[in-house]
Amino acid sequence: MKAAVVRAFGEPLVIEERPDPEPGPGQVRIRVEASGLCHTDIHAAHGDWPVKPDPPFVPGHEGVGLVEALGDGVTHLHIGQRVAVPWLGRACGRCEHCLSGWETLCEQQINTGYGCDGGYAEKMLAWADFAQPVPENLTPFDAAPLTCAGVTTYKALKVADVRPTQLVAVSGVGGLGHLAVQYAKIAGATVAAIDVTDDKLELARELGADLVIDAREQDVGAELKKHGGAHAAIALAVNRTAFEAVNSGLRRGGKLVMVALPAHGTIQVPIFDTVLNGTAIIGSIVGTRQDLAEVFRLHAAGRTRVIHETRPLASVNESIDAVLRGEIKARIVFDLGADG
Ligand code: NAD
Ligand code: ZN
Ligand code: ZN
């Protein structure tokens, strides 16, 4: 089987021929049909974060495909079933986080495409308990971006506790942001979308944003304040100044939800404003299996649109460059059935 492998940080990925992996107890092998390119995969390939993966590794945590082999003890999935393999590859199931509905905070977790090989491959392994069944009427190409971009932004809006009378700022309308705009609309909020390219701002409008702010030319904080300030700001742009800009546009009592993970990311937070305005800063990491099931259910009910462009896996390095240049409308999804 073919896989795209990170051999060294910052080097182009290499397409390798590898033997099919054998599922261990509790695992399944999946024939991957579609695999989304999340910006996190680029951070992984560059070794951007303090906790690093260990090359060689196969990135990808938006893999969707059909179960083709069952490891010992797997009884609830069947051969031919379509499943999605998210970032949360497995969690312990026993710690206080797992037991209190916060498996995404489990300290024993293994992350797909980071702590074990991921979805940039024709075949992959997954822990059966964390492989999410995909409803019948979802295509693998829609399911892939929902598996990280969808669940992460859906969870970020839950964490912000968004209500229908509120103004939500979505900073960065990329893979994650194009879904965040839609979940905020579903929650009933008024949505301000912020980006730095005309295409993304236009896409945000198409997807229901009530106002758009061009961070190249407009003062994001001042624009949000003109509308009373944001109750919640979802920070998805891979850029620290974007975090600071949107934080300055919160209304009193507002919440900044940090989701993007720029390399060496730190921001300056004015203590005086934070105290006097009673604002909060919250980190939000992906979502649980239950959150992902809800995301799939919303899409199956026709309530979200996934904007994607399919490409062969062989284009992986050009695809990464295109994402970094901001040229991709929302999400690239590798078509593992395509030649390449
Ligand atoms: P993306 O590249 O598709 O989207 C980023 C968007 O930000 C682009 O539309 C870009 O034009 C826009 N942008 C750039 N500079 C901006 C600025 N100054 N102001 C406003 N917008 C700006 O990336 P993505 O796949 O959506 O991922 C975004 C980030 O979220 C990455 O850092 C990724 O690692 C992280 N992420 C976090 C989680 C989590 O659980 N916390 C999950 C998935 C991804
Ligand atoms: Zn991701
Ligand atoms: Zn745990």
Side-chain angles (χ1 to χ4, degrees), residues 165-183:
T165 51
Q166 298 189 329
L167 176 65
V168 173
V170 175
S171 171
V173 188
L176 268 62
H178 93 285
L179 287 155
V181 166
Q182 298 178 65
Y183 295 128

Side-chain angles (χ1 to χ4, degrees), residues 40 49 51 53 57-61 85-91 103-119 124 127 285-286:
T40 289
W49 298 337
V51 177
F57 67 95
V58 179
H61 53 275
V85 190
W87 175 254
L88 190 65
R90 71 168 295 180
E103 61 195 20
T104 50
L105 302 183
C106 177
E107 297 202 42
Q108 310 295 319
Q109 69 185 273
I110 297 176
N111 298 121
T112 310
Y114 210 87
C116 64
D117 284 339
M124 74 183 296
W127 280 277
I285 178 75
V286 294

Side-chain angles (χ1 to χ4, degrees), residues 293-310:
E294 292 172 21
V295 158
F296 281 168
R297 211 181 314 144
L298 277 175
H299 195 70
R303 301 191 61 193
T304 47
R305 272 174 68 198
V306 176
I307 309 293
H308 59 73
E309 179 186 323
T310 57

Side-chain angles (χ1 to χ4, degrees), residues 39-40 43 174-176 195 200 236-237 259-261 284-286 331:
H39 207 120
T40 289
H43 296 305
L176 268 62
D195 209 292
K200 311 276 178 139
L236 306 171
V259 176
L261 288 152
S284 187
I285 178 75
V286 294
R331 207 43 143 200

